[in-house]
Amino acid sequence: MSEEARKDRLAPVVETVDAVREAVIAAKRRGLRVGFVPTMGALHAGHRSLIEAAKRECGFVITSIFVNPTQFAPHEDLAKYPRPLDADRRLCAAAGADLVFHPGVETIYPSGFSTFVTVEGLSNILEGKFRPTHFRGVTTVVCKLFQMVPADFAFFGQKDYQQQTIIRKMVAELNIPIRTRVCPTVREPDGLALSSRNVYLSHDERRSALALSRSLTLAHEYLAQGGSDFDLIRQRMWALLKETPLVEPDYATLVDPDTLEDVSTAVHTVVALVAARVGQTRLIDNDVIDLPG
Ligand code: AMP
Protein backbone atom coordinates (compact mmCIF):
# COMPACT_ATOMS: atom_id res chain seq x y z
CA MET A 1 0.00 0.00 0.00
CA SER A 2 1.40 3.45 -0.90
CA GLU A 3 2.06 6.04 1.81
CA GLU A 4 -0.82 8.11 0.39
CA ALA A 5 -3.30 5.20 0.57
CA ARG A 6 -2.16 4.37 4.08
CA LYS A 7 -2.84 7.95 5.19
CA ASP A 8 -6.38 7.83 3.82
CA ARG A 9 -7.27 4.44 5.20
CA LEU A 10 -10.02 4.25 7.82
CA ALA A 11 -9.43 1.72 10.59
CA PRO A 12 -12.16 -0.96 10.56
CA VAL A 13 -14.87 -0.39 13.11
CA VAL A 14 -17.12 -2.71 15.14
CA GLU A 15 -20.01 -1.65 17.33
CA THR A 16 -21.10 -4.74 19.24
CA VAL A 17 -19.68 -6.47 22.30
CA ASP A 18 -19.63 -9.85 20.56
CA ALA A 19 -17.69 -8.51 17.58
CA VAL A 20 -15.00 -6.78 19.65
CA ARG A 21 -14.61 -9.74 22.00
CA GLU A 22 -14.31 -12.15 19.06
CA ALA A 23 -11.63 -9.93 17.52
CA VAL A 24 -9.61 -10.02 20.75
CA ILE A 25 -9.98 -13.78 21.07
CA ALA A 26 -9.00 -14.32 17.41
CA ALA A 27 -5.89 -12.13 17.83
CA LYS A 28 -4.87 -14.03 20.95
CA ARG A 29 -5.40 -17.31 19.14
CA ARG A 30 -2.94 -16.08 16.51
CA GLY A 31 -0.42 -15.61 19.32
CA LEU A 32 -0.65 -11.81 19.31
CA ARG A 33 -0.52 -9.61 22.38
CA VAL A 34 -3.54 -7.32 22.50
CA GLY A 35 -3.25 -3.63 23.44
CA PHE A 36 -6.23 -1.44 24.24
CA VAL A 37 -6.50 2.37 24.15
CA PRO A 38 -9.81 3.68 25.54
CA THR A 39 -10.75 7.18 24.34
CA MET A 40 -13.68 9.52 23.86
CA GLY A 41 -12.62 10.31 20.28
CA ALA A 42 -11.78 13.73 18.79
CA LEU A 43 -8.35 12.19 18.60
CA HIS A 44 -5.15 14.23 18.56
CA ALA A 45 -1.42 13.57 18.77
CA GLY A 46 -1.74 12.68 22.48
CA HIS A 47 -4.09 9.81 21.68
CA ARG A 48 -1.91 8.94 18.72
CA SER A 49 1.10 8.53 21.01
CA LEU A 50 -0.87 6.03 23.12
CA ILE A 51 -1.82 4.00 20.03
CA GLU A 52 1.79 4.05 18.84
CA ALA A 53 3.01 2.96 22.27
CA ALA A 54 0.45 0.14 22.20
CA LYS A 55 1.60 -0.91 18.74
CA ARG A 56 5.23 -1.04 19.87
CA GLU A 57 4.31 -3.54 22.57
CA CYS A 58 1.37 -5.42 21.06
CA GLY A 59 0.66 -7.17 17.77
CA PHE A 60 -3.02 -6.21 17.78
CA VAL A 61 -4.30 -2.82 18.95
CA ILE A 62 -7.88 -1.75 19.62
CA THR A 63 -8.95 1.83 20.24
CA SER A 64 -12.38 2.45 21.70
CA ILE A 65 -14.25 5.64 20.91
CA PHE A 66 -17.14 6.30 23.25
CA VAL A 67 -18.27 9.65 24.62
CA ASN A 68 -19.28 8.34 28.01
CA PRO A 69 -22.42 10.12 29.29
CA THR A 70 -21.99 9.00 32.93
CA GLN A 71 -18.79 10.98 33.37
CA PHE A 72 -20.42 14.28 32.40
CA ALA A 73 -22.51 16.30 34.84
CA PRO A 74 -25.81 17.67 33.44
CA HIS A 75 -24.33 21.17 32.97
CA GLU A 76 -21.20 19.90 31.17
CA ASP A 77 -20.38 19.57 27.46
CA LEU A 78 -21.71 16.06 26.60
CA ALA A 79 -23.93 17.29 23.75
CA LYS A 80 -21.31 19.48 22.12
CA TYR A 81 -18.31 17.16 22.66
CA PRO A 82 -16.75 16.74 19.16
CA ARG A 83 -17.41 13.40 17.37
CA PRO A 84 -15.41 13.36 14.10
CA LEU A 85 -15.57 9.58 13.55
CA ASP A 86 -14.01 9.36 10.08
CA ALA A 87 -11.05 11.56 11.01
CA ASP A 88 -10.60 9.49 14.17
CA ARG A 89 -10.63 6.24 12.21
CA ARG A 90 -8.04 7.71 9.85
CA LEU A 91 -5.79 8.69 12.76
CA CYS A 92 -6.24 5.22 14.27
CA ALA A 93 -5.21 3.51 11.04
CA ALA A 94 -2.20 5.80 10.54
CA ALA A 95 -1.07 5.26 14.15
CA GLY A 96 -1.28 1.47 13.80
CA ALA A 97 -4.61 0.57 15.42
CA ASP A 98 -6.08 -2.62 13.95
CA LEU A 99 -9.65 -2.05 15.07
CA VAL A 100 -11.92 0.69 16.44
CA PHE A 101 -14.62 -0.26 18.94
CA HIS A 102 -17.38 2.35 18.65
CA PRO A 103 -20.34 1.20 20.73
CA GLY A 104 -23.63 3.07 20.96
CA VAL A 105 -24.87 4.40 24.30
CA GLU A 106 -27.49 1.59 24.44
CA THR A 107 -24.74 -1.02 24.11
CA ILE A 108 -22.89 0.30 27.15
CA TYR A 109 -25.90 1.43 29.17
CA PRO A 110 -28.97 -0.64 28.24
CA SER A 111 -32.18 0.70 29.69
CA GLY A 112 -32.47 0.00 33.42
CA PHE A 113 -28.67 -0.03 33.86
CA SER A 114 -27.84 0.33 37.57
CA THR A 115 -24.38 -1.12 38.31
CA PHE A 116 -21.61 1.37 39.08
CA VAL A 117 -17.97 1.00 40.10
CA THR A 118 -16.48 3.55 42.48
CA VAL A 119 -12.95 3.89 43.83
CA GLU A 120 -13.70 5.61 47.10
CA GLY A 121 -11.51 8.34 48.54
CA LEU A 122 -9.37 9.13 45.48
CA SER A 123 -12.52 9.90 43.47
CA ASN A 124 -13.68 12.62 45.86
CA ILE A 125 -10.61 14.86 45.96
CA LEU A 126 -9.16 17.35 43.44
CA GLU A 127 -11.18 16.81 40.21
CA GLY A 128 -13.75 14.93 42.28
CA LYS A 129 -14.46 18.04 44.35
CA PHE A 130 -15.37 20.00 41.24
CA ARG A 131 -16.90 17.06 39.33
CA PRO A 132 -18.48 14.89 42.05
CA THR A 133 -19.88 12.15 39.76
CA HIS A 134 -17.09 12.21 37.17
CA PHE A 135 -14.82 9.38 38.35
CA ARG A 136 -17.70 7.07 39.11
CA GLY A 137 -18.61 7.38 35.42
CA VAL A 138 -14.99 6.85 34.35
CA THR A 139 -14.36 3.75 36.48
CA THR A 140 -17.71 2.26 35.53
CA VAL A 141 -17.11 2.61 31.80
CA VAL A 142 -13.46 1.54 31.94
CA CYS A 143 -14.35 -1.51 34.04
CA LYS A 144 -17.06 -2.42 31.51
CA LEU A 145 -14.72 -1.84 28.56
CA PHE A 146 -12.14 -4.11 30.19
CA GLN A 147 -14.78 -6.89 30.30
CA MET A 148 -15.68 -6.34 26.65
CA VAL A 149 -12.10 -5.98 25.43
CA PRO A 150 -10.09 -8.57 27.38
CA ALA A 151 -6.74 -7.14 26.27
CA ASP A 152 -3.31 -7.85 27.73
CA PHE A 153 -2.33 -4.18 28.11
CA ALA A 154 -4.27 -0.92 28.41
CA PHE A 155 -2.69 2.46 27.70
CA PHE A 156 -3.53 5.74 29.45
CA GLY A 157 -2.11 9.27 29.39
CA GLN A 158 -0.33 10.96 32.24
CA LYS A 159 -2.29 14.03 31.13
CA ASP A 160 -5.18 12.77 33.28
CA TYR A 161 -3.01 12.00 36.28
CA GLN A 162 -5.77 11.45 38.81
CA GLN A 163 -7.74 9.33 36.34
CA GLN A 164 -4.86 6.92 35.66
CA THR A 165 -4.13 6.67 39.42
CA ILE A 166 -7.76 5.73 40.09
CA ILE A 167 -7.93 3.26 37.19
CA ARG A 168 -4.74 1.50 38.28
CA LYS A 169 -6.14 1.18 41.82
CA MET A 170 -9.40 -0.23 40.45
CA VAL A 171 -7.52 -2.76 38.29
CA ALA A 172 -5.44 -3.89 41.27
CA GLU A 173 -8.32 -4.06 43.75
CA LEU A 174 -10.76 -5.80 41.41
CA ASN A 175 -8.04 -8.21 40.16
CA ILE A 176 -8.73 -7.27 36.55
CA PRO A 177 -6.29 -9.27 34.40
CA ILE A 178 -4.90 -6.39 32.36
CA ARG A 179 -1.62 -4.52 32.68
CA THR A 180 -1.77 -0.73 32.53
CA ARG A 181 0.79 1.54 30.93
CA VAL A 182 0.97 5.30 31.41
CA CYS A 183 2.40 7.44 28.59
CA PRO A 184 3.81 10.99 28.78
CA THR A 185 1.68 14.07 28.05
CA VAL A 186 1.96 15.35 24.48
CA ARG A 187 2.08 19.15 24.24
CA GLU A 188 1.91 21.90 21.65
CA PRO A 189 5.33 23.47 20.98
CA ASP A 190 4.45 26.34 23.35
CA GLY A 191 3.63 23.96 26.21
CA LEU A 192 -0.17 23.68 26.09
CA ALA A 193 -1.17 20.08 26.79
CA LEU A 194 -3.16 18.61 23.90
CA SER A 195 -6.81 18.10 24.78
CA SER A 196 -9.92 17.40 22.73
CA ARG A 197 -11.40 20.43 24.50
CA ASN A 198 -8.77 22.85 23.16
CA VAL A 199 -10.96 23.30 20.05
CA TYR A 200 -13.42 25.23 22.24
CA LEU A 201 -10.84 27.95 22.97
CA SER A 202 -11.04 31.35 21.24
CA HIS A 203 -7.82 32.99 20.09
CA ASP A 204 -7.47 34.97 23.34
CA GLU A 205 -8.42 32.01 25.51
CA ARG A 206 -5.85 29.84 23.73
CA ARG A 207 -3.18 32.37 24.73
CA SER A 208 -4.42 32.53 28.32
CA ALA A 209 -4.54 28.73 28.56
CA LEU A 210 -0.74 28.72 28.57
CA ALA A 211 -0.97 29.84 32.21
CA LEU A 212 -1.58 26.19 33.18
CA SER A 213 1.68 24.81 31.79
CA ARG A 214 3.51 27.96 32.92
CA SER A 215 2.41 27.44 36.49
CA LEU A 216 3.76 23.88 36.30
CA THR A 217 7.07 25.14 34.93
CA LEU A 218 7.24 27.61 37.80
CA ALA A 219 6.86 24.76 40.31
CA HIS A 220 9.28 22.53 38.40
CA GLU A 221 12.03 25.15 38.30
CA TYR A 222 11.58 26.13 41.95
CA LEU A 223 11.72 22.51 43.17
CA ALA A 224 14.54 21.50 40.80
CA GLN A 225 16.65 24.27 42.31
CA GLY A 226 16.12 22.81 45.77
CA GLY A 227 13.16 24.98 46.87
CA SER A 228 11.13 23.22 49.55
CA ASP A 229 8.46 25.67 50.69
CA PHE A 230 5.49 23.80 49.19
CA ASP A 231 2.91 26.30 50.40
CA LEU A 232 4.82 29.17 48.86
CA ILE A 233 4.93 27.45 45.48
CA ARG A 234 1.22 26.58 45.68
CA GLN A 235 0.51 30.27 46.27
CA ARG A 236 2.70 31.28 43.33
CA MET A 237 1.08 28.78 40.99
CA TRP A 238 -2.37 29.97 42.07
CA ALA A 239 -1.37 33.64 41.67
CA LEU A 240 -0.01 33.04 38.16
CA LEU A 241 -3.31 31.46 37.11
CA LYS A 242 -5.43 34.02 38.93
CA GLU A 243 -3.71 37.04 37.40
CA THR A 244 -4.05 35.71 33.82
CA PRO A 245 -7.02 37.27 31.99
CA LEU A 246 -9.89 34.84 31.20
CA VAL A 247 -8.50 32.22 33.64
CA GLU A 248 -10.34 31.15 36.79
CA PRO A 249 -8.35 28.54 38.73
CA ASP A 250 -10.03 25.66 40.57
CA TYR A 251 -6.88 24.30 42.21
CA ALA A 252 -3.10 24.45 41.98
CA THR A 253 -1.26 22.10 44.27
CA LEU A 254 1.59 19.66 44.93
CA VAL A 255 0.60 16.13 45.87
CA ASP A 256 2.00 12.72 46.67
CA PRO A 257 2.17 10.65 43.42
CA ASP A 258 0.17 7.74 44.89
CA THR A 259 -2.19 9.09 47.55
CA LEU A 260 -2.75 12.44 45.79
CA GLU A 261 -2.71 14.09 49.20
CA ASP A 262 -1.03 17.46 49.59
CA VAL A 263 2.66 17.07 50.41
CA SER A 264 4.10 19.14 53.21
CA THR A 265 7.41 17.49 54.03
CA ALA A 266 10.36 16.39 51.91
CA VAL A 267 9.65 13.44 49.57
CA HIS A 268 11.32 11.99 46.45
CA THR A 269 8.68 12.92 43.92
CA VAL A 270 5.75 15.30 43.85
CA VAL A 271 3.04 15.84 41.27
CA ALA A 272 2.07 19.41 40.48
CA LEU A 273 -1.61 19.49 39.51
CA VAL A 274 -3.61 22.39 38.13
CA ALA A 275 -7.19 22.85 36.96
CA ALA A 276 -8.74 26.05 35.67
CA ARG A 277 -11.59 27.35 33.63
CA VAL A 278 -10.45 29.34 30.61
CA GLY A 279 -13.57 31.15 29.50
CA GLN A 280 -16.19 28.35 29.47
CA THR A 281 -13.62 25.58 28.97
CA ARG A 282 -12.26 23.60 31.89
CA LEU A 283 -8.66 22.43 31.45
CA ILE A 284 -6.32 20.32 33.60
CA ASP A 285 -2.59 19.70 33.48
CA ASN A 286 0.15 18.20 35.64
CA ASP A 287 3.85 17.56 35.96
CA VAL A 288 5.62 14.76 37.82
CA ILE A 289 8.66 16.32 39.48
CA ASP A 290 11.58 14.38 40.95
CA LEU A 291 13.13 16.37 43.76
CA PRO A 292 16.90 16.79 43.84
CA GLY A 293 18.86 14.64 46.33
P1 AMP B 1 -9.96 11.18 26.39
O1 AMP B 1 -10.32 10.90 24.98
O2 AMP B 1 -9.78 12.61 26.70
O3 AMP B 1 -10.83 10.43 27.36
O4 AMP B 1 -8.52 10.57 26.59
C1 AMP B 1 -8.21 9.23 26.25
C2 AMP B 1 -6.81 8.92 26.70
O5 AMP B 1 -5.89 9.80 26.08
C3 AMP B 1 -6.61 9.11 28.23
O6 AMP B 1 -5.82 8.05 28.73
C4 AMP B 1 -5.91 10.43 28.29
O7 AMP B 1 -5.10 10.57 29.45
C5 AMP B 1 -5.05 10.38 27.04
N1 AMP B 1 -4.64 11.73 26.65
C6 AMP B 1 -5.44 12.82 26.51
N2 AMP B 1 -4.69 13.92 26.20
C7 AMP B 1 -3.39 13.49 26.15
C8 AMP B 1 -2.15 14.13 25.90
N3 AMP B 1 -2.07 15.44 25.63
N4 AMP B 1 -1.02 13.40 25.93
C9 AMP B 1 -1.07 12.06 26.20
N5 AMP B 1 -2.23 11.39 26.46
C10 AMP B 1 -3.37 12.09 26.44
Side-chain angles (χ1 to χ4, degrees), residues 38-41 44 46-47 49-50 81 155-160 163 183-186 193-196:
T39 80
M40 296 208 301
H44 50 61
H47 300 108
S49 74
L50 301 187
Y81 200 87
F155 295 78
F156 294 92
Q158 185 198 306
K159 158 74 172 36
D160 297 275
Q163 171 174 287
C183 303
T185 302
V186 176
L194 295 187
S195 162
S196 305

Side-chain angles (χ1 to χ4, degrees), residues 90-257:
R90 221 168 265 127
L91 183 145
C92 285
D98 299 282
L99 187 65
V100 168
F101 178 41
H102 181 242
V105 174
E106 270 298 306
T107 299
I108 303 292
Y109 300 113
S111 95
F113 183 87
S114 63
T115 305
F116 289 87
V117 178
T118 306
V119 174
E120 294 188 356
L122 281 180
S123 298
N124 304 326
I125 58 176
L126 298 162
E127 282 300 283
K129 275 207 177 123
F130 294 89
R131 307 181 74 189
T133 57
H134 174 65
F135 287 119
R136 179 175 99 135
V138 170
T139 40
T140 299
V141 81
V142 172
C143 188
K144 282 178 65 74
L145 288 168
F146 284 171
Q147 312 310 309
M148 300 172 187
V149 184
D152 299 296
F153 292 85
F155 295 78
F156 294 92
Q158 185 198 306
K159 158 74 172 36
D160 297 275
Y161 191 89
Q162 186 175 5
Q163 171 174 287
Q164 61 80 24
T165 306
I166 289 171
I167 288 170
R168 287 188 300 113
K169 195 161 195 286
M170 173 187 79
V171 165
E173 294 184 356
L174 293 182
N175 308 95
I176 299 176
I178 199 162
R179 291 172 70 184
T180 50
R181 296 277 194 245
V182 178
C183 303
T185 302
V186 176
R187 299 177 179 280
E188 299 280 6
D190 62 6
L192 181 69
L194 295 187
S195 162
S196 305
R197 292 190 165 96
N198 289 352
V199 297
Y200 300 152
L201 299 171
S202 70
H203 181 262
D204 289 347
E205 288 166 352
R206 169 67 182 76
R207 202 169 32 207
S208 291
L210 280 182
L212 279 87
S213 54
R214 288 208 178 114
S215 71
L216 299 174
T217 305
L218 190 103
H220 196 118
E221 286 175 357
Y222 173 83
L223 295 169
Q225 285 160 15
S228 59
D229 187 339
F230 296 124
D231 279 337
L232 175 72
I233 199 64
R234 284 185 186 100
Q235 282 162 23
R236 288 201 193 151
M237 290 164 74
W238 178 269
L240 190 154
L241 292 165
K242 191 76 192 163
E243 70 202 17
T244 304
L246 308 173
V247 175
E248 201 46 63
D250 281 343
Y251 58 83
T253 190
L254 301 171
V255 301
D256 177 277

